Amino acid sequence: MYESTRGNLYGQTASQAITLGMVPGGGLFVPSTFPNLNWQDLQGLTYGEVAKRVMMPYLSDFSEEAVAEIVKVYSDGRFDGEDPAPLVPVGNFGVLELWHGPTAAFKDMALQVLPDLLKNSLKHFNREEDVLILVATSGDTGKAALEGFKDREGMHIVVFYPAGGVSPVQERQMTTTEGLNTHVVGVVGGNFDQCQTAVKGIFASDTLKTQLQEKKLIFSSANSINWGRLLPQIVYYYWAYLQAVKQGTITPEGKINVVVPTGNFGNLQAAFYAKRMGLPINRIICASNSNNVLADFFKTGVYQSQRPFFQTISPSMDILVSSNFERFLYEMSGRDSEKIQSWYNASNQGEFSVDSATLKECQATVYAGWANEEETLQTIASSYEDYRYVFDPHTAVAMKVYEDYLSATKDQTFTVIASTASPFKFSSNVIRALAKYSNSNCSDEWEALAGLSQLTGWKIPLGLQGLDKKPEKKATPCSPEGIKELIKKMFIE
Ligand SMILES: N[C@@H](CCOP(=O)(O)O)C(=O)O
C-alpha cells in the first residue's frame, strides 16, 4: 500500500497512487513498506524479467500476466540493441547507458512503461474518464512523455517547457511529435521550477478538478512525482549490479557506488529505493550543475531554493526545487510526516532547514558535489582524451563529481555512473568541448550532430535523425502565470 509523505493519506493501492500522480492536498505517494529482493535470484534473467521481479511486489493490485505484458516494451524493438541499459566498462568504472530508447534519454526507461501502468490502474480504479497528463520538463522528460503517450486511447498530454531553456535538439524533438493527443507549450520568461509549480498548483485545485470532471477528464502526471514513473527506474540499478557481476568487475556480494546526475532527484531516489530493497550499494553520489542547491543542502542542512537560477549546458538539471527530495527526506527523518509538513510549508518561503539527526542520516547515505560549466566542458574533453568515451554534459557533471569524490575519499569501490542522455542531444556543446580533436566546422546544431558522429564513429540515435526536416507543430507560447488559464481554455471552456 501507499501513503503520503505529509501524513494526509494512507492505505492507497498502487493503482490509486499511479492514477492520482500526486497526493491531493499535497505530498507524494511512497510505499508503506519495502520488499527485499536478492539480486542473486535475478541472475540469468532478461531485462524485462528483472523489471517484472522488481516491480511486481509494488503492484499488488496488478496481475502477474499484466505486468509480464507491460515489460515486453524492453524487448519489442523500441530500445536499440539487445540490452536496453548496457553497462559499458570505461577505465575502472562502468557507465550505465540509459539512453538507448526512442528519445535518447533515460526517461524512456520509465516512460515507455508508464502509459500501460496507468491504463491498468484506471481499470482497477474503475475510472472511466479520459486522463489529462500534465508534464513539466527541463528538456528530457517532455519528449519521452510525448513519445510514450502519443495516440494512447483515452489519454491527452500537455508538456510545458521553458522556452529557450532546453537544447535545440530537445526542443525540436518535442515540437515534431506526432499524435492528435499531444500538446507542447513553450513557457516564455519562465524556468522549469515555475512550470512544475504551476502544474502542481493545477493538481491541487479542487475547482479545476471539478470542472475537468464535468468534461469526463481527470488529471495525472508523467513526471517522477508519479510513483509509476519512479518504479521502473529502480530496475536498472539491479540490472547494473547484475552486469557488473557478470563482467567480473565486482565479486559476488561486493558493493557498488552509483553516481547520478541530479535534477528532480527521481533517478537518485530510485537508486536509494534499490539500496533499501537490499541491493548492495555503498555510496550514492549526487551530482549537480551550477544550480547546486542539493550540494549546499548536504553540507549545511539548509535547502535554499530562493537563489539565482542558472541556465546551463546541462539543461535537464536546471532545477532548484527537486520534487523527489521530499521522498528522500521522508525516509531520512524516520518517516516523520509532521516534519515533512513543516519543512515544505516553510519551503514556500524559499528555504527550510532540517534537524541535525536528519542531516546526519542524509550525509551518511549520499555524497554530494557539483560541477560548473567550465569543469563540465573540461571533463567531456579529458574523458575523451583518457578513454575515447564521449559523455553528454549531464553525465560529464556526474563524472567530474565522481573524480572529486575519488580524490576526497580514495574509495576503491566499483562505481557505476548513470549516463542519462546521449551526447547527440547536446552536440554543439559536446563538439565545442572536443574542438581540439575535431576539425568539423559546424554552423548549426544539425551539422554538429553529423560532426559528432564523424568524430566518434557513433551512429546518430534513430530518434534524432532527420529531426531538422520533420514537420513541426509549433509550441503554444504562454507565460508562467498563464498556465492555469491555458489549461482551462484547452480542456474546460
Ligand atoms: N530533468 C527533467 C525534469 C523533470 O524531471 P522528472 O524526472 O520529474 O520528470 C527533464 O528533463 O524534464
Side-chain angles (χ1 to χ4, degrees), residues 378-435:
Q378 268 167 17
T379 305
I380 295 174
S382 60
S383 304
Y384 185 72
E385 174 78 36
D386 295 344
Y387 313 112
R388 284 292 180 266
Y389 189 87
V390 181
F391 287 116
D392 84 283
H394 305 75
T395 316
V397 167
M399 180 66 197
K400 167 69 178 133
V401 171
Y402 172 52
E403 287 169 349
D404 292 346
Y405 170 79
L406 269 185
S407 336
T409 64
K410 314 280 178 276
D411 179 4
Q412 289 307 303
T413 308
F414 179 72
T415 296
V416 170
I417 297 184
S419 176
T420 49
S422 159
F424 286 98
K425 293 188 83 164
F426 311 94
S427 295
S428 53
N429 281 321
V430 173
I431 284 275
R432 176 155 69 101
L434 299 179

Side-chain angles (χ1 to χ4, degrees), residues 107 136-142 192 196 222-225 229 263-264 316-317 319 324:
K107 313 283 180 172
T137 188
S138 53
D140 285 334
T141 298
F192 169 80
Q196 183 173 238
N223 281 111
S224 57
I225 51 175
R229 242 303 298 285
N264 226 7
S316 305
M317 295 159 75
I319 295 177
N324 279 286

Side-chain angles (χ1 to χ4, degrees), residues 105-107 111 135-143 145 159-162 166 170 174 192 196 221-226 229-230 233 261-267 315-319 323-324 394 425:
F106 79 100
K107 313 283 180 172
L111 279 160
V135 179
T137 188
S138 53
D140 285 334
T141 298
K143 174 59 180 176
V159 170
F160 299 91
Y161 75 94
V166 301
Q170 288 176 317
M174 291 190 270
F192 169 80
Q196 183 173 238
S221 168
N223 281 111
S224 57
I225 51 175
N226 190 329
R229 242 303 298 285
L230 219 44
Q233 295 185 220
T262 309
N264 226 7
F265 211 76
N267 209 3
S316 305
M317 295 159 75
D318 290 347
I319 295 177
S323 293
N324 279 286
H394 305 75
K425 293 188 83 164

